[in-house]
Amino acid sequence: MSRLDSFIRRMTAQRDILNHVCVEVSKMEGPVMELGLGNGRTFNHLRERLPGRRIVAFDRKLAAHASSIPDDENLVLGEIRETASTFVGIEAALVHADIGTGYEDRDEVTLTWLPDLSARLLRVGGMAVSGLPLEHPQLQQLPPPPSVPTDRYFIYRRV
């Protein structure tokens, strides 16, 4: 599969899963944590799907399109592992993490802290969506919607 086809497949899976979980998240209290703002496409999508919801976006540096930048109080720049840790206990309804690199060695390092951080940011019953698997005793993996191939993108509920 070409890298372009893989990217399209990943973006389609991401959109379909976010649409799927936003139905449930819209019924919960708590903010949304966007780990990895990037160019802001997902932030923009979540803002449309969850109008009025606080969305806190984290990234190393600002690189988002001007139309997809959160206000200053909801944009946190710096190393995500460190900056997002200061929000532990916020009882988020959703944590979305699209910070995989496609390089196995780098992603292995991310997976040493991302599952635990995600679980600690979420409220009980909250949802985590990630491009990387989040194996953690407090995160129960859920099946993706039928349009998403297994292990392409992941959904979890905080138990």
Side-chain angles (χ1 to χ4, degrees):
M1 176 182 301
S2 75
R3 290 189 65 229
L4 176 60
D5 284 334
S6 178
F7 175 76
I8 292 167
R9 189 175 139 193
R10 183 170 64 88
M11 291 297 98
T12 301
Q14 184 183 80
R15 182 205 57 213
D16 291 355
I17 284 179
L18 288 172
N19 288 348
H20 178 75
V21 301
C22 280
V23 172
E24 194 166 337
V25 168
S26 68
K27 301 171 189 170
M28 290 180 215
E29 299 276 328
V32 170
M33 311 307 271
E34 174 74 336
L35 305 182
L37 176 61
N39 60 27
R41 279 191 215 89
T42 306
F43 169 80
N44 183 270
H45 189 74
L46 288 169
R47 193 168 51 186
E48 281 189 8
R49 293 287 181 243
L50 299 166
R53 181 69 61 112
R54 181 180 184 200
I55 303 172
V56 183
F58 300 82
D59 216 324
R60 285 185 173 155
K61 63 180 181 171
L62 183 58
H65 186 273
S67 67
S68 300
I69 298 174
D71 54 34
D72 288 344
E73 69 184 32
N74 291 312
L75 175 63
V76 184
L77 300 177
E79 289 299 319
I80 294 170
R81 178 182 187 178
E82 297 165 11
T83 57
S85 293
T86 66
F87 286 78
V88 165
I90 197 166
E91 303 248 321
L94 173 64
V95 170
H96 174 245
D98 185 18
I99 57 176
T101 65
Y103 292 99
E104 192 172 320
D105 58 333
R106 292 182 193 169
D107 290 346
E108 283 178 9
V109 172
T110 300
L111 287 172
T112 64
W113 56 266
L114 182 60
D116 186 62
L117 176 61
S118 297
R120 293 171 54 218
L121 289 169
L122 285 169
R123 68 180 306 111
V124 171
M127 311 291 288
V129 173
S130 176
L132 296 172
L134 301 177
E135 294 184 21
H136 189 278
Q138 293 179 320
L139 296 175
Q140 174 189 23
Q141 188 170 355
L142 302 174
S147 63
V148 177
T150 302
D151 295 337
R152 177 67 244 173
Y153 221 80
F154 304 90
I155 308 172
Y156 300 87
R157 179 183 312 284
R158 166 80 157 67
V159 294

